[in-house]
């Protein structure tokens, strides 16, 4: 593949993986390549990273794609080892060689060793012809070398603390496992195509992780991201309100000023702008199917509550309860959501979402919360379990509100499938797809 084709493919893969790379930044990368030695892979990686990566969270996906599109060149020694090698004596020799490399900390030697053992042990048996990293890691069992490494290095350097040595070798063993994975992906990419392997192995950036498909680790990382995101949004909203559109034209003052220029209004004057801080009422489906989405929306809303004159939150499943009390100023929001789940009266009979009943209970008990100053925000997947959607109630509520919006965490392509009443509700109030932090932040900025 020519360098230009490889560059275009790499930039396209970054965009497909969710990294925001503009055309101008792609051109910046081309100019950066003119200033580095293209034969120096580390410099090439650094040039691309400096021009294309905007956030530390994007670096992992960038590195994985860089290794696929710009794989290291294999040396003749590594090619020679790229053949099956079996037997206990051979494995013992390889483990001793790995132990020596781990003690030396030579990264290039570790990379070459990883490629060699993947070539020898990485291809699956049984005629599958596939490459696997777990076979290599299981056969060599690098983590079992720790005790021997510690004994050897502590005997040589009596002053070296065991804790420091253990951490150092743990990092080197993790690096070896990473290099094995890289080489397996390289070999698969050579056989099946880079684009196919990239799609299968690259996870989207954290801010684009789907709420409804997030792993436990993703959820923990997303919680840590909420407050920095709220700070960025709050700063942006404050600046926008301060320097937003000017107020209405002050006709008298403009005319008086124009007298000094012969009646020509060269300078216009405007009345002070009065920014509107909306009151916000949130109706939140807290059923299991959308609980993670509801939690993150509440987290961000309450982290931004200074942008609203008043915030009231209500959660429902087939029962409904006000949960504002759990989010008092100074409260830990994650703890508040845990308390809400355990203490709020959200289940009436079945514990399955019943939108119609929840809306009816809200109107009966808390209807006065909706005023002409209120922005109404409904959160949920609009799946009614084939029960009454309560459209008449929704019409009355949205009719009394200043603005009304519905955020749906499901892909728009899934709306109206099964028991979804998304389009039915969308005829009454605007429904927005909101599947990740990026979409959520964009919407909250618009709302505030």
């Amino acid at each position: 593949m020519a360098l230009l084709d490889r560059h275009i493919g790499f930039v396209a893969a970054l965009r497909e993986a969710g990294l925001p790379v503009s055309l101008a930044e792609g051109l910046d990368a081309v100019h950066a390549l003119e200033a580095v030695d293209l034969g120096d892979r580390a410099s090439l990686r650094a040039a691309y990273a400096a021009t294309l990566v905007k956030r530390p969270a994007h670096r992992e996906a960038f590195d994985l794609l860089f290794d696929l599109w710009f794989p290291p060149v294999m040396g003749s020694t590594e090619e020679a080892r790229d053949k099956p090698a079996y037997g206990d004596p051979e494995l013992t020799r390889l483990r001793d060689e790995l132990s020596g490399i781990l003690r030396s900390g030579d990264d290039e030697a570790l990379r070459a060793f990883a490629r060699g053992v993947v070539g020898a042990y990485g291809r699956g048996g049984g005629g599958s012809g596939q490459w696997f990293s777990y076979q290599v890691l299981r056969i060599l069992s690098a983590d079992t070398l720790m005790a021997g490494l510690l004994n050897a290095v502590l005997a040589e350097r009596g002053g070296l603390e065991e804790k420091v040595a253990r951490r150092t070798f743990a990092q080197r063993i993790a690096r070896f496992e990473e290099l094995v994975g890289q080489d397996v992906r390289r070999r698969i990419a050579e056989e099946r195509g880079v684009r196919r392997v990239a799609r299968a192995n690259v996870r989207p950036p954290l801010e684009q992780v789907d709420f409804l498909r997030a792993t436990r680790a993703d959820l923990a990382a997303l919680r840590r991201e909420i407050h920095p995101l709220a700070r960025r949004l709050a700063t942006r909203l404050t600046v926008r309100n301060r320097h937003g559109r000017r107020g209405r034209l002050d006709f008298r003052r403009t005319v008086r000023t124009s007298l000094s220029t012969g009646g020509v209004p060269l300078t216009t004057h405007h009345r002070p702008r009065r920014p509107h801080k909306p009151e916000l009422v949130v109706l939140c489906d807290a059923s299991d199917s959308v609980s993670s989405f509801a939690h993150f929306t509440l987290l961000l809303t309450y982290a931004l509550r200074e942008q609203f004159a008043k915030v009231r939150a209500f959660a429902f499943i087939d029962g409904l309860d006000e949960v504002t009390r759990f989010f008092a100023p100074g409260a830990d929001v994650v703890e508040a959501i845990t308390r809400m789940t355990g203490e709020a009266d959200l289940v009436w009979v079945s514990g399955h979402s019943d939108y119609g009943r929840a809306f009816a209970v809200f109107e009966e008990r808390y209807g006065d919360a909706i005023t002409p100053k209120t922005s109404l925000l409904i959160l949920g997947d609009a799946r009614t379990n084939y029960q009454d959607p309560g459209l008449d109630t929704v019409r009355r509520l949205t009719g009394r509100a200043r603005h009304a919006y519905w955020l749906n965490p499901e892909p728009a392509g899934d709306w109206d499938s099964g028991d979804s009443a998304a389009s039915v509700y969308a005829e009454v109030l605007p429904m927005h797809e909101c599947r990740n932090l990026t979409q959520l932040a964009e919407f909250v900025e618009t709302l505030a």
Side-chain angles (χ1 to χ4, degrees), residues 332-343:
D332 179 85
V333 185
V334 177
E335 180 183 344
I337 289 177
T338 303
R339 287 186 58 207
M340 179 194 79
T341 305
E343 299 177 25

Side-chain angles (χ1 to χ4, degrees), residues 8-28:
I8 293 172
F10 177 52
V11 172
L14 290 173
R15 292 190 185 117
E16 188 174 347
L19 275 68
V21 179
S22 67
L23 177 61
E25 289 161 347
L27 293 174
D28 289 342

Side-chain angles (χ1 to χ4, degrees), residues 18 22 74 161 186 204 209 271 276 304-305 326 347 350 359 370 402 435 437:
S22 67
M74 219 173 183
E161 294 185 7
R186 176 185 68 83
V209 170
R271 299 183 187 277
H276 168 70
L304 283 166
R305 55 179 171 260
F326 298 115
V347 177
S350 66
F359 293 148
I370 306 294
R402 179 185 180 92
R435 299 169 53 197
L437 274 188

Side-chain angles (χ1 to χ4, degrees), residues 400-416:
R400 295 202 298 269
R402 179 185 180 92
H403 301 292
Y405 309 92
W406 189 307
L407 299 187
N408 192 325
E410 288 194 337
D414 292 345
W415 296 359
D416 300 329

Side-chain angles (χ1 to χ4, degrees), residues 64-138:
L64 194 154
L65 288 170
F66 181 87
D67 289 332
L68 288 174
W69 286 91
F70 299 93
V73 178
M74 219 173 183
S76 57
T77 303
E78 296 154 352
E79 294 283 0
R81 188 186 282 168
D82 195 8
K83 61 183 184 302
Y86 301 98
D88 291 340
E90 176 65 12
L91 289 178
T92 300
R93 185 189 66 77
L94 289 174
R95 283 170 58 84
D96 290 342
E97 183 179 348
L98 175 58
S99 181
I101 296 172
L102 291 173
R103 287 174 58 188
S104 70
D106 186 338
D107 193 70
E108 283 305 313
L110 192 63
R111 183 187 297 275
F113 180 84
R115 290 185 202 153
V117 293
V118 169
Y121 296 99
R123 192 179 287 276
S128 67
Q130 298 183 22
W131 294 95
F132 299 97
S133 58
Y134 80 88
Q135 291 185 171
V136 177
L137 300 178
R138 177 177 55 83

Side-chain angles (χ1 to χ4, degrees), residues 33 36-48 59 62-73 107-108 111 115 175 179 182-183 186:
L33 298 186
V36 301
D37 178 4
L38 298 180
D40 184 347
R41 190 163 174 267
S43 298
L44 186 66
R45 184 193 299 267
Y48 270 119
R59 186 59 193 252
F62 167 86
D63 283 333
L64 194 154
L65 288 170
F66 181 87
D67 289 332
L68 288 174
W69 286 91
F70 299 93
V73 178
D107 193 70
E108 283 305 313
R111 183 187 297 275
R115 290 185 202 153
R175 174 62 174 161
L179 290 171
Q182 285 181 13
D183 197 62
R186 176 185 68 83

